[in-house]
């Protein structure tokens, strides 16, 4: 829905992909034809981890480029999300697969709705509040990042999964 739109196209497209991954998790929870879901759970978690790292790196690069005042708060929330994914004990998943899928799904739903509708929408509001050259620069950066993401997506391999979020330092995203 529009409640989840930041107004920054590349961020909104990436958020849509995160919701697709959450939907895959939901579908897996309700797939009664598959009794042993362990491998699919592991695959979804790996894809989610890889994609969020890419998304967070892109989003942080944009925030840095527009001098977003809340970048450190966003980075902290991103790192907390990744830490939560990294803390999932894959050995324990096999013991009670449905419960763990539900736990992951609840975490995703809560985090995605809270984070996107709050801090991420704030990025879009900051861009909308800009004027003149500052606004033009932000719009150009958003367009450039969208084009870069789409180009990399078209290329085989694309290198997208190699992007990471730094755990500290100066806020730069690395490739």
């Amino acid at each position: 829905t529009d409640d989840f739109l930041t107004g920054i196209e590349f961020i909104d497209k990436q958020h849509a992909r995160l919701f697709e991954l959450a939907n895959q998790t939901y579908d897996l929870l309700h797939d009664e034809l598959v009794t042993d879901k362990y491998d699919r759970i592991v695959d979804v978690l790996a894809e989610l981890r890889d994609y969020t790292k890419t998304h967070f790196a892109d989003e942080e690069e944009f925030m840095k480029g527009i001098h977003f005042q809340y970048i450190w708060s966003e980075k902290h929330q991103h790192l907390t999300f990744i830490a939560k994914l990294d803390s999932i004990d894959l050995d324990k998943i096999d013991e009670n697969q449905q419960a763990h899928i539900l736990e992951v799904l609840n975490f995703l739903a809560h985090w995605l709705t809270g984070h996107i509708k709050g801090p991420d929408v704030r990025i879009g509001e900051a861009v909308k509040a800009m004027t003149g050259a500052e606004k033009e620069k932000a719009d150009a950066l958003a367009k450039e990042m969208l084009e870069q993401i789409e180009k990399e997506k078209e290329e085989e391999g694309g290198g997208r999964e190699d992007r990471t979020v730094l755990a500290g330092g100066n806020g730069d995203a690395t490739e």
Side-chain angles (χ1 to χ4, degrees):
T1 70
D2 288 351
D3 292 345
F4 293 97
L5 296 177
T6 64
I8 304 164
E9 189 175 359
F10 84 89
I11 292 176
D12 292 336
K13 284 186 174 189
Q14 289 181 333
H15 286 166
R17 178 65 186 135
L18 291 172
F19 278 106
E20 288 173 10
L21 292 170
N23 286 336
Q24 285 179 17
T25 306
Y26 178 84
D27 292 344
L28 182 58
L29 177 67
H30 294 286
D31 189 345
E32 295 177 13
L33 298 176
V34 179
T35 55
D36 186 1
K37 301 175 181 181
Y38 179 81
D39 290 339
R40 289 179 58 194
I41 296 168
V42 171
D43 290 345
V44 167
L45 287 172
E47 186 174 357
L48 181 63
R49 185 179 299 109
D50 291 344
Y51 194 79
T52 54
K53 287 179 180 181
T54 296
H55 166 65
F56 292 160
D58 291 340
E59 196 173 83
E60 290 172 13
E61 180 182 338
F62 181 74
M63 288 186 293
K64 182 179 179 202
I66 66 167
H67 307 288
F68 185 63
Q69 67 178 344
Y70 301 109
I71 189 171
W72 293 110
S73 172
E74 283 268 343
K75 280 185 66 62
H76 174 73
Q77 291 179 39
H78 293 167
L79 291 170
T80 301
F81 183 92
I82 296 297
K84 171 66 176 172
L85 289 179
D86 288 342
S87 74
I88 295 172
D89 186 343
L90 297 179
D91 292 330
K92 287 186 178 180
I93 287 175
D94 211 18
E95 296 169 12
N96 190 346
Q97 296 176 5
Q98 287 296 101
H100 283 282
I101 295 170
L102 186 57
E103 180 183 338
V104 169
L105 186 59
N106 284 335
F107 167 69
L108 285 175
H110 177 75
W111 198 91
L112 288 173
T113 57
H115 186 77
I116 292 171
K117 288 174 83 172
D120 282 358
V121 166
R122 192 167 51 186
I123 300 167
E125 290 169 350
V127 171
K128 288 175 193 163
M130 293 176 178
T131 59
E134 182 183 46
K135 173 80 166 132
E136 289 175 15
K137 179 183 174 190
D139 289 344
L141 179 58
K143 182 179 178 185
E144 175 185 321
M145 292 188 74
L146 176 64
E147 290 170 355
Q148 175 186 343
I149 290 165
E150 288 177 346
K151 178 181 176 190
E152 289 175 357
K153 193 175 176 181
E154 289 175 11
E155 295 173 358
E156 188 170 290
R160 301 294 299 156
E161 58 279 344
D162 295 333
R163 297 179 60 129
T164 58
V165 177
L166 293 177
N170 62 5
D172 290 335
T174 60
E175 290 191 286

